[in-house]
Amino acid sequence: MSQEIRRSDFLDVAQDRRRALTPSRARHVPRAEQIARRQRLVTAMKFLMPLLAAGVLALMVFWPDIEGNHSRLSFRRGPALVPEALQLVAPRFQGVDELNRPYTVTARLARQPGQEEVLLMDLPRADIQLNEGAWVYVESDRGRYDRATQQLDLEGNVELYHDNGTLFRTEAAAVKVDAGTAHGERPTQAQGSFGTIESEGFEMRDRGAVMIFTGRARAVLEGRQQ
């Protein structure tokens, strides 16, 4: 009997303790009008925040006018980014014509300003093999090499050497490196075993087999003046 009393007493004490413990945070269920009020507040903020941002931006733009200052904050589109020109140091281009005769174009420096296969060269050089093993070597201060058409436009102290001992000097010339032809329309001086010739221009045809001096020409051949 005593054990049953002690057990019942223990159960009563445990129940009293559970009733004494309260939750650490009392729950509060919002009413329907409170939920509706919060929804209206959130909806209003969705409209007010963009309007507030626009007002601040407008104030920044027009504030100099309000203060009487002539300076104004403005927004401009910056310059488009353009890639720098491709630059080659000591380039070397080689090829062959339809009869497998080789040619070589070199330079001290070359720049490719655009997307086309056109190179602007400093100290360009070209070595072209002609008929029956003959060759021509040309050089100048500046040049423009079009790889698509294989044309080399030379300018400034142009010199053309033919392996037969002939040397041409002029200020500008156009050379078709694949065809082995050249021509110029500037005053030209030529010298070789034949003597000297001065003309207003020149043409080299048939891969050096034919040399034509254009315009007025003056030749000194083997000591005889014509």
Side-chain angles (χ1 to χ4, degrees), residues 86-190:
L86 176 64
Q87 183 166 299
L88 304 175
V89 178
R92 183 182 184 88
F93 304 98
Q94 293 179 312
V96 294
D97 62 6
E98 68 278 2
L99 297 179
N100 288 326
R101 288 170 292 200
Y103 58 84
T104 304
V105 178
T106 62
R108 183 182 67 179
L109 187 69
R111 295 176 301 278
Q112 185 176 354
Q115 299 296 327
E116 299 179 358
E117 297 187 43
V118 176
L119 297 172
L120 304 180
M121 293 183 164
D122 295 336
L123 298 180
R125 308 283 187 270
D127 191 349
I128 307 169
Q129 184 172 329
L130 305 177
N131 295 324
E132 298 178 357
W135 54 266
V136 165
Y137 175 78
V138 295
E139 63 180 12
S140 67
D141 293 340
R142 300 172 302 279
R144 180 182 181 275
Y145 181 39
D146 190 338
R147 298 182 61 188
T149 61
Q150 294 299 321
Q151 178 162 325
L152 179 61
D153 296 322
L154 304 174
E155 186 175 1
N157 297 318
V158 180
E159 293 187 351
L160 185 151
Y161 302 90
H162 195 288
D163 74 336
N164 61 8
T166 304
L167 169 63
F168 295 82
R169 288 192 175 95
T170 184
E171 284 300 314
V175 182
K176 291 285 289 183
V177 293
D178 58 343
T181 61
H183 71 276
E185 298 178 355
R186 299 281 187 88
T188 303
Q189 296 178 349

Side-chain angles (χ1 to χ4, degrees), residues 13 29 40 52 58-59 66 68 80 95 108 113 138 151 161 173 207 213 215 221:
V13 172
V29 179
R40 289 194 297 269
L52 181 61
L59 183 62
I66 298 174
R108 183 182 67 179
V138 295
Q151 178 162 325
Y161 302 90
R207 293 192 170 274
F213 296 91
L221 306 175

Side-chain angles (χ1 to χ4, degrees), residues 27-40:
R27 291 188 176 182
H28 175 70
V29 179
R31 297 189 300 273
E33 57 271 15
Q34 292 178 337
I35 296 176
R37 189 182 307 114
R38 292 179 182 178
Q39 291 178 348
R40 289 194 297 269

